Amino acid sequence: MAVTAKTKAKQKSARAATKAQAAPKALGQDAIALLEADHRLVEEYFEAYEGLTDAAEKKALADKICLALKVHTQIEEELFYPPAREATGDGDLIDEAVVEHMGAKTLIAQIEAGAPGQPLYDAKVKVLGEQVRHHVEEEESELFPEVRAADLDLVALGAKLSARKAELMAQLAPPAA
């Protein structure tokens, strides 16, 4: 029995989700490790989306992408950016990240309101992926190294991020079918 590209994409996403959930725990809830695990998971989702053709599967994965990004941006803005700003003194970098989040939230709202097959739907998902990749590159190459060099308890911060993430996932995730 042949394995389809769609099945491979689903399996890859499932493995990525498992790794993303386990990584922060294995690293003692380090805040940056948790955020980087989120980055990897969403990257996997975007990659898997590109291989889909079925409208229902596209909608389901786009909804997962949107949920993951809404939760991730909220925990960063509420709990990570304020102490990162104070510890690094790099307000410009944090401000830029917040503005990038604002752009992502606009596209997320449009994607959630739309459906595959509608004009620009796939383009919006693709552009969101490109914007997220750019944001991730800046965070991981500029902000995260500055935060690691600062005097922050990343394990304690990671525990806060993890708890808030779980709370938001329970609050925002649709009920299981």
Side-chain angles (χ1 to χ4, degrees):
M1 184 167 160
V3 177
T4 65
K6 191 174 8 177
T7 302
K8 286 182 182 177
K10 284 182 185 176
Q11 291 170 342
K12 195 171 183 182
S13 279
R15 285 192 305 272
T18 301
K19 282 190 230 171
Q21 291 169 353
K25 292 175 183 143
L27 297 171
Q29 298 296 328
D30 176 282
I32 293 173
L34 183 146
L35 296 173
E36 287 176 336
D38 283 356
H39 293 167
R40 299 296 83 77
L41 178 63
V42 173
E43 287 169 351
E44 292 284 341
Y45 286 165
F46 281 116
E47 187 178 315
Y49 185 90
E50 291 175 16
L52 297 178
T53 56
D54 180 78
E57 290 178 356
K58 281 184 168 188
K59 180 65 175 165
L61 188 52
D63 287 345
K64 284 176 79 170
I65 290 167
C66 291
L67 174 63
L69 291 173
K70 287 192 305 188
V71 169
H72 181 83
T73 58
Q74 189 164 341
I75 65 172
E76 278 189 330
E77 290 172 10
E78 285 180 2
L79 300 171
F80 185 75
Y81 289 164
R85 178 186 303 272
E86 186 175 323
T88 66
D90 197 341
D92 290 343
L93 198 53
I94 302 289
D95 290 346
E96 187 177 323
V98 170
V99 171
E100 289 171 348
H101 283 188
M102 292 164 62
K105 289 174 190 177
T106 298
L107 277 174
I108 289 166
Q110 292 174 11
I111 292 165
E112 288 179 327
Q118 290 181 331
L120 305 179
Y121 186 84
D122 286 337
K124 289 174 184 176
V125 174
K126 183 175 182 73
V127 170
L128 178 62
E130 291 169 353
Q131 289 179 351
V132 166
R133 282 182 199 76
H134 168 80
H135 176 75
V136 163
E137 171 62 29
E138 285 189 344
E139 275 192 342
E140 292 185 1
S141 67
E142 297 176 42
L143 180 61
F144 290 175
E146 285 184 26
V147 171
R148 280 217 184 274
D151 188 26
L152 272 177
D153 184 345
L154 293 175
V155 173
L157 184 55
K160 289 179 187 176
L161 290 172
S162 182
R164 182 65 173 139
K165 180 179 175 180
E167 179 183 321
L168 289 169
M169 290 298 286
Q171 178 184 354
L172 299 175

